[in-house]
Amino acid sequence: MSQGPSAPGTLEATRILTKSLDCVHCGLCLPVCPTYRETGREMSSPRGRVYLARGVAEGSIAFDDVVADEMGLCLGCRACETACPSGVQFGALLDEMRAEVERRGLRGGLAKRIETLALRGIVPHPARLRALVSLLGLAQRLGLDRPLLRLAPAALRERAALLPRVPSKADRAPLPALVPAVGDKRGRVGFFVGCIMPELFGDVSHATVRVLARNGFDVVVAPGQGCCGALHAHAGDSERANELARRNVTAFDAAGVDMVVVDSAGCGAALRDAGRWLPGTGERLAATVRDVSELLDAAGLRSPPGRIDARVCYDDPCHLVHGQGVYEAPRRLLEQIVGVRLVSHEDPTACCGAAGIYNLTHPAMSSAVLGHKMRALAAVDPDVIASGNPGCIMQLRAGVARFGLRAQVVHPVELLDRAYGGPSRAPDAPYL
Amino acid sequence: MQPASSRLIDALRAAAGADAVLWRAGELFVYECDALTHHTGRPAAVVLPRTADEVAACVAACAREGVPFVPRGAGTGLSGGAIAFGGAVVIECARMNRILEIDPVDRVAVVQPGVVNADLSRAAAPFDLHFAPDPSSQQACTLGGNVAENSGGPHTLEYGSTTAHVLAVELVLASGERVRLGSRAGGEPGYDLTGAVVGSEGTFGVVTEVTVRLTPVPEAVETLLAIFPDVVSACHGVGAVIRAGLVPAALEIVDRRTIAAVEASVYAAGLPLDAGAVLIAELDGPAVALPRQVERVRTLCGANGATRVEVARDAAERQRFWRARKGAFGAMGRLAPDLYVHDAVVPRSKLPEVLEAVCAIGDRHGLTLSNVFHAGDGNLHPNISFDRRDEDELRRVLAAGSEILELCVRAGGVISGEHGIGAEKQDFMPLLFTPDDLDAMRRLRAVFDPERRSNPGKIFPTTRFCVESNPKARGYERVSFDP
Ligand SMILES: Cc1cc2nc3c(=O)[nH]c(=O)nc-3n(C[C@H](O)[C@H](O)[C@H](O)COP(=O)(O)OP(=O)(O)OC[C@H]3O[C@@H](n4cnc5c(N)ncnc54)[C@H](O)[C@@H]3O)c2cc1C
Ligand code: SF4
Ligand code: SF4
């Protein structure tokens, strides 16, 4: 019936079909899917999306805009994978389907234009990203951002509300090439810097490196590394994702480290997937990837001396809990900070609606999904919300502002870093 | 499937709003089956109302256009009950998911039909209450589906199936009329019409509100895991526990093949891979009474061949056991793309011999058959893993299925315990019922839906059906319906 790259029998169609066959149609994934919860529509559920994928691969339905729209509306949160007893690799299937949507030119409109600009024009180019963020920081400091935005079209204004405050110059300073371990050395790790993190969350990167060093790890910032390629893979740009994976494999191979530590859940999940692009070398890199919370929890956290008196609510980034299966570790770490009382809300493992740049491409659904999250958080009214992914932090901050919560939103390592005394108080290590 | 008329689409939009109507080919395609994938039927349209008024308007629109309709919940049904025959419109209740009231004094909840079973128990938990029927699909299936199928679950052994917990229903009949049956006080003078609605599989109309009984959460619970060398000895263990006069809350058997699949999944609970079968026995009640019962179950299992009996150390471990048990069906997807979950009941005393015969049937047809079931109720679930694209295998699966049902009926059992007849087993009804019996059932149905426009083509035997020649087109497509 349908012709083109995924016509039944082709390589792409066979790959899609094989992945879809893991689904027995039991429906246990329905209740965890944010877009199903929001719409009640079968095709907006994981089971429905897998069925659509199978339908196009077998040629029982046309690969048309119904299929393309559903692949776009999916948040890629992979909550369905955590719920699925049958082991459906939904994230990988989704990427394949999106690549197919791209090949067929089935996407257009504002969402597509934003995505192309961000993914091709900015994210992979550190200098451009840096310049753009500096400009934004300047506008924010001069108080020009709001008046300027008033001139912008409404759709853009809403989206701009998500922009974080640009950290200070010191926080955006490049990381040292090597930060030596404090005290007994427990290992030598490579730190994955990422593209957005150093610019918009430089303070978090610095905190991560300090906390690792204080826990006995030599931290190497391998030169030549770059963007993880997650956004590209999820947008169906497998070529770029492949290229970026190659770059990181080369950089970390040369660094001679035991492990690669990541403080952005989305990047961690993408790096763990490197084997998909590069069998062999990619798989080897993937096997060494650890989220910072996972590494510290496994090594045993050195008790931080300081105390933080706060009710802290940990909110799971999808790409940590569903993408990498890390659930307990960050909670256990936070509990070890004296004074911290960990509180839990109703639905910590549900998506917040950030989903990479989904909040830019699908603002209405994103905002509905965020609404659920914020109502759950409001019910426990924490002092601090901790979440280990930059996109989630931005989204939760926007949510806190919109729903009038009083909580501060931070990365868990920022709390640990504070409990260790932060940047200034370590006489024996100048960087720390 | 017949293409929907644009008049029908417009009428449904007027009834429930433009965003509530699906009609494009891809959108309808995903509604062609429920959790039993080899029966399919594509609807003319799907409508997602939010209120009983909207349901009534949708049903009235269908009546005006002369098209039938099918209520649907989460589509986890295992008998093809929610699929559309004859160009029917699917009335999807997922958006009707509000819990309207929980009253801890009357111990009732009033809910819309799209409320998910487990969500109701979560909402009742602050009052130390729960909704007792707990199908393994409880995280996903809806109260409307539970009512329509009279669903059960592991704890049906002690607490009874859905029918024991439904006090009142509101129903939109095919005429568009709204009726209320039963009362929240329980008890219904005269004929038990509420009881007739429970288990009617969507053929009486659309249930738009349900008043259910809530049950106190027991003071104490103990869960045992008895490890047996094979399924048959586990069945003897079950018989011994019941004969001893114990009333366990649940007695569930999981066989070796199922254990292997579950342990490879996200629901792994550390069940022993070398066991022939495990028996999960749950006891609940006042804390003082439990230790003695635990010891008795342990001894009885040991006497019937259990090599080891463990007791869940805490609530977390108990939950892991149950998650494993309830994730079993989905986990079987690891063995093959499709799973045919059979459902039949035999007298408990016949369990060992029937199971032996069931396994022999699977072997004879060269099929991958596994067993995970509500043993305490004598409710078997022989599961056959297969690939529906393989025509020959599908044929063998269906042949084995009928042999299993005939076997169970011969053993004094019935052809469905809890999954319903739907589109799957209608042609087996004559195994149990005479033409007169069936006629009486048809007349009861006619009281609610004389024109047979609510979920047509289900329950009652059909004479004609054919396998589509295109093997890709998944199994059976009904060519006519006129029960
Ligand atoms: C993994 C798995 C485990 C399961 N375990 C069990 C189990 O332990 N015990 C058990 O009994 N069943 C079990 N089932 C079967 C199934 O979950 C139940 O039959 C459930 O009640 C169906 O609910 P649903 O919301 O998915 O209904 P659907 O599948 O959508 O519909 C089922 C039937 O109900 C009708 N219906 C739905 N809503 C309404 C309404 N509002 N008004 C009138 N009719 C309506 C439909 O027309 C259809 O005939 C299991 C299924 C799966 C996939
Ligand atoms: S990835 Fe998230 S949004 Fe997409 S189908 Fe799975 S649960 Fe739903
Ligand atoms: S839980 Fe897994 S097997 Fe079940 S319907 Fe969802 S994707 Fe398919």
Side-chain angles (χ1 to χ4, degrees), chain A residues 21 25 39 42 47 51 83 85, chain B residues 31-32 34 74-75 95 267 334:
Chain A
L21 290 182
H25 225 250
T39 63
E42 178 73 16
R47 181 177 65 180
Y51 209 70
Chain B
Y31 286 93
E32 71 174 8
D34 57 13
R95 290 184 181 174
Y267 296 107
R334 292 165 180 273

Side-chain angles (χ1 to χ4, degrees), chain A residues 17 21 23-27 30-31 36 39-40 42-43 47-48 51-52 54-55 58 61 66 82-87, chain B residues 24 29-35 37 48 72 74-75 94-95 139-140 265-267 327 330-331 333-334 337 388-389 472 474:
Chain A
L17 181 62
L21 290 182
C23 174
V24 270
H25 225 250
C26 68
L30 265 55
Y36 177 74
T39 63
E42 178 73 16
M43 77 272 190
R47 181 177 65 180
Y51 209 70
L52 287 175
R54 179 167 179 174
E58 284 186 334
I61 51 163
V66 169
T82 302
C84 176
S86 189
Chain B
R24 296 184 293 175
F29 173 65
V30 296
Y31 286 93
E32 71 174 8
C33 62
D34 57 13
T37 48
L48 298 103
R72 179 169 162 126
R95 290 184 181 174
Q139 296 297 337
S265 82
V266 289
Y267 296 107
R334 292 165 180 273
R388 62 184 185 237
R389 295 169 303 168
K472 271 196 223 137
R474 296 153 306 274

Side-chain angles (χ1 to χ4, degrees), chain B residues 153-395:
Chain B
H155 291 80
T156 295
L157 181 58
E158 180 177 356
Y159 296 100
S161 61
T162 301
T163 192
H165 303 270
V166 175
L167 297 170
V169 293
E170 184 195 61
L171 197 64
V172 171
L173 303 178
S175 58
E177 192 185 340
R178 281 164 75 167
V179 295
R180 284 184 167 272
L181 301 170
S183 80
R184 84 189 261 147
E188 196 172 2
Y191 295 118
D192 179 9
L193 293 178
T194 312
V197 171
V198 179
S200 62
E201 303 194 22
T203 60
F204 285 7
V206 185
V207 173
T208 47
E209 193 184 289
V210 194
T211 305
V212 296
R213 196 191 299 284
L214 295 175
T215 307
V217 174
E219 180 190 312
V221 184
E222 292 287 359
T223 309
L224 288 82
L225 195 69
I227 292 135
F228 285 90
D230 53 63
V231 177
V232 172
S233 54
C235 290
H236 285 299
V238 168
V241 169
I242 301 281
R243 195 179 318 111
L246 291 163
V247 187
L251 284 173
E252 301 279 308
I253 292 180
V254 186
D255 75 356
R256 180 199 297 267
R257 212 170 246 156
T258 310
I259 294 173
V262 172
E263 287 301 315
S265 82
V266 289
Y267 296 107
L271 302 181
L273 292 165
D274 56 347
V278 297
L279 170 65
I280 303 177
E282 188 154 284
L283 300 157
D284 67 10
V288 288
L290 289 194
R292 230 188 97 244
Q293 294 185 26
V294 168
E295 277 326 300
R296 293 201 65 197
V297 172
R298 191 196 288 276
T299 316
L300 289 164
C301 287
N304 282 278
T307 50
R308 206 162 76 236
V309 180
E310 293 166 12
V311 182
R313 271 165 306 210
D314 50 24
E317 190 166 44
R318 171 174 325 120
Q319 256 168 29
R320 270 203 300 283
F321 290 166
W322 282 118
R323 273 168 54 85
R325 161 63 186 91
K326 295 189 171 180
F329 163 37
M332 303 306 285
R334 292 165 180 273
L335 302 186
D338 296 287
L339 184 70
Y340 193 167
V341 181
H342 279 277
D343 171 39
V345 187
V346 296
R348 245 177 330 243
S349 56
K350 296 280 171 45
L351 272 180
E353 60 184 82
V354 168
L355 264 160
E356 223 159 345
V358 163
C359 295
I361 292 173
D363 289 344
R364 188 148 37 75
H365 288 279
L367 296 167
T368 307
L369 187 146
S370 50
N371 286 288
V372 46
F373 60 106
H374 312 306
D377 288 318
N379 188 176
L380 304 182
H381 288 324
N383 297 331
I384 306 181
S385 302
F386 68 106
D387 186 338
R388 62 184 185 237
R389 295 169 303 168
D390 180 340
E391 271 180 283
D392 179 59
E393 193 178 27
L394 179 59
R395 199 186 43 71

Side-chain angles (χ1 to χ4, degrees), chain A residues 189-249:
Chain A
V189 299
F191 177 60
F192 178 80
V193 182
C195 55
I196 309 243
M197 284 299 283
E199 295 306 332
L200 291 179
F201 292 90
D203 38 355
V204 175
S205 309
H206 284 276
T208 302
V209 170
R210 282 192 294 268
V211 169
L212 286 170
R214 286 193 160 115
N215 275 280
F217 294 98
D218 278 345
V219 186
V220 180
V221 177
Q225 58 171 305
C227 171
C228 66
L231 297 178
H232 307 84
H234 305 328
D237 186 351
S238 44
E239 205 175 301
R240 196 70 47 111
N242 190 318
E243 185 187 310
L244 292 168
R246 196 176 304 273
R247 194 160 90 186
N248 285 319
V249 165

Side-chain angles (χ1 to χ4, degrees), chain B residues 69-71 148-149 197 199-206 445 449 454-456 459:
Chain B
F69 60 89
V70 192
E149 301 289 11
V197 171
S200 62
E201 303 194 22
T203 60
F204 285 7
V206 185
R445 190 236 178 121
D449 178 19
S454 187
N455 206 2
I459 302 182

